[in-house]
Amino acid sequence: MDLNSPIFKRIRVKREPEPLPSATRCDHPGCEVTGEFRAPKGRLREGQYFCFCLDHVKEYNASYNYFRGMTDDDVAKYQKEAVVGHRPTWNMGVNRGGKGHREEGVEPDAFVDPMGIFRNRTPGGADAQPRRPRYGLAATKALNTLGLDETADAETIKARYKDWVKKLHPDANGGDRSLEDRLREIIQAYKVLKSAKLA
Ligand SMILES: [Zn+2]
């Protein structure tokens, strides 16, 4: 047998099992596990689903953000309309001769939220405050690249970043450079978050 034949080399280099067809693979970037759990894609993509493995469907559900992809202004507008829609008589007259300016649409307990749309999707649902967009589009995108949303604190961002680098680095993949683009995205996203003082 010729051990130096190109065919033999190719076989030897291949360390990982064939990836599953994309239809059944987990939609989480870089995850090779079967995606057997469905998760809704969200606003304007009703009826569309991601397929995740158990770990990633849990993670997705914990960070699910209905407003993903909307600008801060859009979210504020949506909230304002929701306020008007749900409670037409909301705070009528409160401002008259009152305590001065009150920002519309961000009053914590001013309206009923039967769908739970504005509640933070934190695990356990402990935080019932209305969700407020805190970040600009670039930071939000960067968080999404890391698989996080605006509820992530600096510690979480750092930890997630380290996880990704560990997972995607060629050294951790037997020299496989096919994940480099994804790694570059992760690093770029982390830089954005760092310069926004979020990480
Ligand atoms: Zn997965």
Side-chain angles (χ1 to χ4, degrees):
M1 180 160 59
D2 177 11
L3 292 183
N4 290 321
S5 104
I7 291 172
F8 187 79
K9 256 184 198 156
R10 216 179 303 140
I11 292 169
R12 213 167 32 139
V13 166
K14 198 196 283 172
R15 284 175 170 81
E16 292 200 313
E18 279 296 328
L20 293 159
S22 61
T24 54
R25 215 187 313 157
C26 173
D27 282 328
H28 192 88
C31 183
E32 299 290 338
V33 179
T34 311
E36 48 192 323
F37 298 90
R38 296 201 317 169
K41 288 193 175 180
R43 186 180 50 86
L44 302 181
R45 295 160 91 183
E46 275 83 4
Q48 294 181 43
Y49 293 88
F50 290 115
C51 293
F52 288 122
C53 66
L54 182 59
D55 281 352
H56 286 130
V57 79
K58 279 187 193 162
E59 186 181 302
Y60 180 81
N61 286 341
S63 66
Y64 180 78
N65 180 0
Y66 186 80
F67 296 112
R68 183 162 295 167
M70 283 171 100
T71 66
D72 290 359
D73 285 350
D74 286 343
V75 174
K77 188 160 165 265
Y78 184 97
Q79 289 178 325
K80 192 174 161 185
E81 282 165 4
V83 169
V84 174
H86 292 153
R87 286 272 294 266
T89 58
W90 171 66
N91 273 356
M92 253 209 193
V94 164
N95 286 338
R96 276 174 211 158
K99 301 178 203 157
H101 180 69
R102 200 184 260 273
E103 239 186 291
E104 257 182 309
V106 294
E107 201 59 16
D109 300 306
F111 66 99
V112 183
D113 181 20
M115 308 291 283
I117 288 170
F118 301 117
R119 247 178 285 140
N120 277 341
R121 308 294 172 131
T122 46
D127 189 352
Q129 289 292 307
R131 178 183 198 90
R132 297 179 200 187
R134 290 192 287 155
Y135 306 145
L137 198 57
T140 303
K141 264 191 178 164
L143 284 167
N144 291 348
T145 299
L146 296 177
L148 298 169
D149 69 9
E150 294 88 338
T151 60
D153 59 14
E155 287 310 305
T156 309
I157 292 169
K158 269 179 212 162
R160 177 63 61 90
Y161 171 68
K162 280 181 191 163
D163 284 352
W164 275 118
V165 171
K166 240 189 247 170
K167 197 171 171 185
L168 298 173
H169 200 280
D171 290 351
N173 294 288
D176 179 3
R177 309 181 83 86
S178 67
L179 300 170
E180 266 183 9
D181 283 349
R182 180 70 182 138
L183 180 59
R184 255 191 291 274
E185 272 175 41
I186 295 287
I187 292 170
Q188 183 53 38
Y190 188 66
K191 274 187 194 159
V192 169
L193 296 171
K194 259 241 177 296
S195 64
K197 304 241 184 307
L198 297 171

